[in-house]
Amino acid sequence: MKVNRDEVIAYRLEAQNLNRRLTEQSLVTATGVCGVQNSPPGSALLALNARVEGVTSEAVNTASSDDKALLQSWCMRGAPFCLPTNDLSIFTTGVLPPTETGQRHLILGIEASLDKLEMFLAEVVDRTRDTIGSVLSGRRLTVNELGTEIAERIAHELPENKRARWEREGPYAKGQRLGEGVVHFCLRILTLEKIICFAPRDGSKAPFVLLDEWLDTERPEMAPEDARAELLRRYLHAYGPSTRGDFASWIGVRSREGESWWNLLEDELTEVDFGRRTWVLTEDLDALQSPPTPTGVRLLPPRDPYVQGRDRETIIDKQFHSDVFKTVGEPGTVLVDGRIIGTWRARKKGKNLSVSVTAFGRLSAHTKKSVEAEAKKVASLRGAAAVEVDVDSD
């Protein structure tokens, strides 16, 4: 079977609920497609706005704080994601690599420090896990507060030669001990082990809590292989047709490590010719061959799920990659009738929001009005009383 770019774009937009907004009651459904990254903070709210009618910050806060139907945890690529609580195993157990090598790559940056300490990752994770309950129970602590207390307790358990290295200044932040920086990395593993999660933000702080204390009711559990298989199903449904390498990159592991997921679904996949060998869920073949025509305008936030596919040239012409994909300070993207046609940035000035749109080509008067309407929704979610939109197009 052979497919073209237009078919793949249309299929992915439909799968990711970017053709027609879902009803107001569908926050959990929209979030559960493949999770919604929430970095920079507030991105998840804007991503949900692009997919669900009438989204408000109050509704998302209620779902997270009161109903606890949504949860935030470190997830793919070590980034914070908003997830359905009932799908927690898929996006935690299902993401955690089964080997130490895979886990080291997922939390890239720890290896040199472990070598200095002459410790395995598993050893430091075990020590962190054994300590965290007594430190965090009944409390909400930021990563720095939690790392400081745990590192101090672990230091007293180490032999003198290792303790000296543990307490030296490390490479991660000025004045931060090496051991504290290593603990920060281990906390990512503990989120994937479902020991801790994020509580809702308190101002500029994102505190951690013990998961079992935050969720005081039973939740669905899955065996690791089942969770990995379901994670791959959701990825392929949202980003198919795709490859082993692109899936591994999306998680944040090396391509060969992705085999631990891919091999679980070989009987459920069909090969597709999309300029290279790619695969799709067999059950999604009909949807891939006859997707609805994309319509509508959306202002997607930085790192929106749609632009997190690893085959970037599928959705954005290569000549514009440097405008969209940046190491820091990524802009949002403007989606019009299935095409990324520009970028946008917003800056709050008092009670007003200034939205600056840079288009990759000329925009019609109708499109500009639609962009302005979307900007008003963004302004409302950002707590602005009014919005000023500046569209720069050729």
Side-chain angles (χ1 to χ4, degrees), residues 48 241 363 384:
L48 289 171
L363 302 185

Side-chain angles (χ1 to χ4, degrees), residues 34-51:
C34 255
V36 180
Q37 188 168 335
N38 195 33
S39 59
S43 290
L45 178 63
L46 298 184
L48 289 171
N49 169 66
R51 293 162 170 81

Side-chain angles (χ1 to χ4, degrees), residues 211-254:
L211 181 67
D212 285 341
E213 290 185 350
W214 180 251
L215 299 177
D216 52 7
T217 58
E218 291 187 7
R219 57 192 180 274
E221 299 291 343
M222 299 179 74
E225 286 195 351
D226 292 338
R228 288 199 292 272
E230 181 58 23
L231 180 70
L232 177 54
R233 288 188 191 98
R234 298 208 183 186
Y235 167 83
L236 286 170
H237 178 67
Y239 296 102
S242 190
T243 66
R244 292 171 174 81
D246 284 350
F247 171 69
S249 177
W250 177 77
I251 292 178
V253 299
R254 293 183 177 92

Side-chain angles (χ1 to χ4, degrees), residues 145-159:
E145 293 166 340
L146 189 54
T148 297
E149 291 197 33
I150 290 176
E152 185 174 336
R153 296 197 186 195
I154 291 176
H156 294 301
E157 302 170 355
L158 296 175

Side-chain angles (χ1 to χ4, degrees), residues 95-235:
V95 173
L96 183 63
T99 66
E100 168 142 339
T101 300
Q103 292 178 19
R104 283 184 177 220
H105 190 75
L106 182 67
I107 54 173
L108 202 61
I110 196 176
E111 296 203 39
S113 296
L114 290 174
D115 291 342
K116 288 181 182 178
L117 293 167
E118 297 182 350
M119 299 173 76
F120 289 106
L121 174 61
E123 177 186 353
V124 188
V125 169
D126 287 346
R127 290 181 180 274
T128 303
R129 187 190 305 109
D130 292 343
T131 306
I132 198 167
S134 59
V135 171
L136 191 54
S137 181
R139 305 170 73 188
R140 298 187 184 192
L141 299 177
T142 65
V143 65
N144 288 331
E145 293 166 340
L146 189 54
T148 297
E149 291 197 33
I150 290 176
E152 185 174 336
R153 296 197 186 195
I154 291 176
H156 294 301
E157 302 170 355
L158 296 175
E160 186 174 341
N161 62 328
K162 285 189 177 180
R163 186 188 310 167
R165 281 172 272 175
W166 182 267
E167 295 187 326
R168 289 182 194 140
E169 184 173 335
Y172 307 112
K174 185 173 178 58
Q176 182 189 70
R177 292 174 297 177
L178 177 62
E180 185 178 339
V182 168
V183 167
H184 285 194
F185 284 103
C186 293
L187 294 176
R188 286 172 163 78
I189 300 297
L190 295 192
T191 59
L192 298 180
E193 292 183 347
K194 295 183 293 188
I195 292 172
I196 58 175
C197 66
F198 287 104
R201 294 183 72 87
D202 180 11
S204 62
K205 295 182 178 181
F208 284 101
V209 291
L210 291 174
L211 181 67
D212 285 341
E213 290 185 350
W214 180 251
L215 299 177
D216 52 7
T217 58
E218 291 187 7
R219 57 192 180 274
E221 299 291 343
M222 299 179 74
E225 286 195 351
D226 292 338
R228 288 199 292 272
E230 181 58 23
L231 180 70
L232 177 54
R233 288 188 191 98
R234 298 208 183 186
Y235 167 83

Side-chain angles (χ1 to χ4, degrees), residues 307-320:
V307 299
Q308 288 297 317
R310 312 327 268 178
D311 55 338
R312 293 172 170 176
E313 289 184 46
T314 297
I315 63 169
I316 301 176
D317 292 339
K318 190 172 184 178
Q319 62 180 313
F320 302 120

